[in-house]
Amino acid sequence: MRKFKDIPLWKGISPKQWSDWKWQVRNRITDVDTLAKVINLTDDERTEIANSTKYLRMAITPYFATLMDPDDPECPVRRQAVPSSNELHISKDDMEDTVGETTDAPHEGLTHRYPDRVLLLLTDQCSMYCRHCCRRRIVGTTDHSRNWEEIKAGIDYVRRTPQVRDVLLSGGDPLLVSDALLEKTLRELRKIGHVEVIRLGSRTPVVLPQRITPGLVKILRKYHPIWFNTHFNHPKEVSPASKRAVEMLVDAGVPMGNQSVLLKGVNDCPVVMKKLCHELVSMRCRPYYIYQCDIAKGLEHFRTATAKGIEIIEHLRGHTSGFAVPEFVIDAPTGGGKIPVGPSYLISMSDKRVILRNYEGGIFQFPEVAGDRTSKCPANCRMCKDYEHLESEEGVAGVLSGKKMCLIPEGTARAERRKVYAKKRSKCDGS
Ligand SMILES: *Cc1c(COP(=O)(O)O)cnc(C)c1O
Ligand code: SF4
């Protein structure tokens, strides 16, 4: 990490200006000539960068730029911030709206995929545009907040949808909006009785830690429970400033989590990831997810084999504190949601015992109880009557509980034939 005073471009800047997040946003690096004043670029690199922003604009906060190695094009911080011509390559697997956020959207900017939680976008702006961004189809298009009418339509949907108990504010970066707009959103959401938790998904602690001001923290405190997920990818991103930002939030009672993206040449390594997870828990930020890199346009060069993520979890689980181990997930294309994948620990089973393996490769048995194994409700428990809506009737859980007989996929030839038969039958019955 370099001191900003040592970089001629920012020689005249006062520490007060530097620590002002609005100054940081106003002075983002958005063109190659300015970038060349901060890191060393060959003429070829300059041309490449200028030509590589077709799908996602370039913007790098001065703060994040000081974390970049000025001489090493393979620097993991630099790779996340500086465009490369690889982004112009569209692979045969690449998609636009990769995870079906639009197909699951009752309103523009609101995605309702899971039973009890929604994703609400406040802006398409980010302080820094990550080169691996999977929401690049919308992110940075206007570089502005959405207008209140649009956000309000999302909040109105939440109000009339009582099963939503968790609202995830995202973007872009939801902390790029003003304190006033953020507070207005939180205040409106808090008026809705069935909203239990509000979550923020913001990369500002990593790329713009100046955004976490005492004023912001004071606002968040008023609307608890607020949870917060940020996005560190590499231990090099952990600086005194980012640490302070995370700790200010935790001290304000905001539980912090981290979502990393597995990126080739950045963090596709068990040692890098273990070091990152240790740094995170040291600042009281819980590693939450590691994502398999998405199939958004132009990201093929960042994608690793799925096996790499499984290997990383194998190196963590058992080897380090349980709370330092994130879950490796694939956000399934077309809206399947996040699906956990990891090493398998259950090796075999009989009706007498299950056979497990641990992280050392030791194989162990665990006895199954003899006799009746079914669970019985305590006579005085009324939980399932009082909280009927908490019982999952959908999905595999619904089949498991016996509420549903089976789950049969739509759109197969068999399903189509069945529809025809049903129509025939109803005709016979009717006449
Ligand atoms: C990721 C995501 C959520 C939150 O998922 P969790 O697994 O609860 O963190 C909610 N809605 C959408 C559309 C998402 O992509
Ligand atoms: S902060 Fe998130 S939404 Fe913004 S560019 Fe980075 S990955 Fe995309």
Side-chain angles (χ1 to χ4, degrees):
M1 179 176 183
R2 294 190 286 166
K3 292 202 182 86
F4 74 87
K5 286 279 182 198
D6 296 341
I7 299 169
L9 177 63
W10 298 311
K11 226 177 144 75
I13 300 308
S14 70
K16 187 155 176 264
Q17 280 172 304
W18 185 262
S19 56
D20 173 3
W21 71 274
K22 290 182 179 156
W23 182 89
Q24 288 278 339
V25 173
R26 268 199 313 274
N27 289 279
R28 292 182 299 177
I29 300 167
T30 54
D31 65 274
V32 183
D33 291 334
T34 312
L35 183 63
K37 292 180 182 151
V38 182
I39 57 175
N40 298 316
L41 297 171
T42 62
D43 286 346
D44 281 353
E45 283 173 315
R46 279 173 172 250
T47 318
E48 175 177 341
I49 294 164
N51 292 337
S52 303
T53 53
K54 185 171 164 197
Y55 300 110
L56 179 67
R57 68 171 80 209
M58 174 171 81
I60 307 171
T61 55
Y63 160 78
F64 200 67
T66 63
L67 305 181
M68 299 196 283
D69 186 318
D71 299 311
D72 179 10
E74 298 201 337
C75 162
V77 177
R78 194 159 148 172
R79 278 227 153 120
Q80 295 180 58
V82 177
S84 108
S85 58
N86 290 322
E87 292 176 46
L88 299 177
H89 168 73
I90 307 299
S91 97
K92 64 173 189 356
D93 297 320
D94 289 0
M95 286 172 70
E96 188 77 31
D97 177 12
T98 55
V99 299
E101 284 181 349
T102 315
T103 29
D104 276 326
H107 285 284
E108 202 185 316
L110 181 99
T111 301
H112 188 181
R113 162 164 318 137
Y114 296 104
D116 67 344
R117 53 210 187 279
V118 295
L119 175 72
L120 177 61
L121 308 183
L122 298 188
T123 176
D124 72 42
Q125 187 178 44
C126 292
S127 56
M128 185 186 92
Y129 290 110
C130 309
R131 302 328 300 173
H132 55 275
C133 181
C134 66
R135 223 176 260 152
R136 44 179 47 216
R137 71 178 196 286
I138 37 176
V139 157
T141 45
T142 69
D143 209 30
H144 275 294
S145 315
R146 302 176 65 231
N147 67 48
W148 178 247
E149 292 313 308
E150 292 171 323
I151 296 171
K152 192 170 167 297
I155 297 174
D156 289 342
Y157 175 85
V158 173
R159 188 176 295 113
R160 59 174 191 267
T161 315
Q163 63 269 37
V164 176
R165 45 160 288 285
D166 174 3
V167 178
L168 168 46
L169 302 178
S170 183
D173 195 312
L175 287 187
L176 263 282
V177 308
S178 65
D179 282 358
L181 178 56
L182 179 72
E183 176 152 24
K184 194 168 168 184
T185 307
L186 294 173
R187 198 188 307 122
E188 289 304 310
L189 285 170
R190 267 291 160 248
K191 285 185 193 158
I192 304 172
H194 57 264
V195 173
E196 293 172 7
V197 289
I198 302 172
R199 285 200 252 182
L200 288 162
S202 165
R203 208 179 180 196
T204 54
V206 186
V207 294
L208 181 69
Q210 296 78 9
R211 178 65 180 99
I212 312 304
T213 58
L216 173 74
V217 162
K218 204 170 144 193
I219 293 173
L220 298 182
R221 270 179 183 280
K222 286 198 257 173
Y223 301 95
H224 268 318
I226 304 254
W227 290 59
F228 194 124
N229 271 333
T230 190
H231 174 177
F232 284 90
N233 283 328
H234 193 281
K236 258 192 92 170
E237 294 165 333
V238 179
S239 73
S242 60
K243 222 175 163 130
R244 196 177 325 115
V246 169
E247 288 171 348
M248 276 171 74
L249 289 162
V250 185
D251 287 344
V254 179
M256 291 294 294
N258 186 70
Q259 316 192 151
S260 297
V261 182
L262 189 53
L263 299 169
K264 195 183 214 164
V266 174
N267 58 12
D268 53 339
C269 162
V271 176
V272 169
M273 277 300 193
K274 195 184 213 175
K275 176 68 180 155
L276 175 62
C277 290
H278 287 170
E279 292 281 1
L280 289 169
V281 297
S282 297
M283 47 181 159
R284 292 174 287 157
C285 179
R286 169 86 154 87
Y288 182 56
Y289 285 146
I290 297 177
Y291 287 100
Q292 169 66 340
C293 181
D294 191 272
I295 54 171
K297 274 185 181 168
L299 297 188
E300 192 178 49
H301 63 291
F302 273 133
R303 286 205 288 279
T304 61
T306 306
K308 186 48 81 175
I310 297 174
E311 180 190 343
I312 287 169
I313 304 300
E314 186 71 70
H315 276 79
L316 294 172
R317 173 64 63 202
H319 295 269
T320 191
S321 323
F323 57 76
V325 184
E327 190 142 45
F328 177 50
V329 295
I330 299 182
D331 205 345
T334 71
K338 293 160 189 95
I339 301 176
V341 271
S344 201
Y345 295 94
L346 179 61
I347 289 188
S348 194
M349 53 179 141
S350 73
D351 59 349
K352 304 217 168 40
R353 51 191 63 87
V354 294
I355 307 298
L356 309 157
R357 63 101 172 171
N358 75 352
Y359 74 102
E360 297 166 295
I363 294 185
F364 304 88
Q365 60 138 309
F366 190 82
E368 292 284 33
V369 288
D372 186 3
R373 292 180 205 162
T374 46
S375 299
K376 286 192 190 63
C377 303
N380 296 321
C381 179
R382 285 188 44 86
M383 291 287 277
C384 62
K385 295 186 185 64
D386 296 346
Y387 301 98
E388 208 175 354
H389 65 286
L390 292 184
E391 195 168 0
S392 297
E393 296 191 12
E394 282 178 54
V396 181
V399 184
L400 204 54
S401 69
K403 298 243 178 223
K404 282 206 175 86
M405 208 39 208
C406 54
L407 291 175
I408 295 184
E410 287 276 341
T412 61
R414 181 180 168 214
E416 292 309 309
R417 286 199 302 274
R418 286 182 156 202
K419 277 186 204 157
V420 175
Y421 306 155
K423 218 179 264 167
K424 265 194 203 156
R425 274 199 306 273
S426 71
K427 254 190 205 150
C428 297
D429 298 347
S431 57

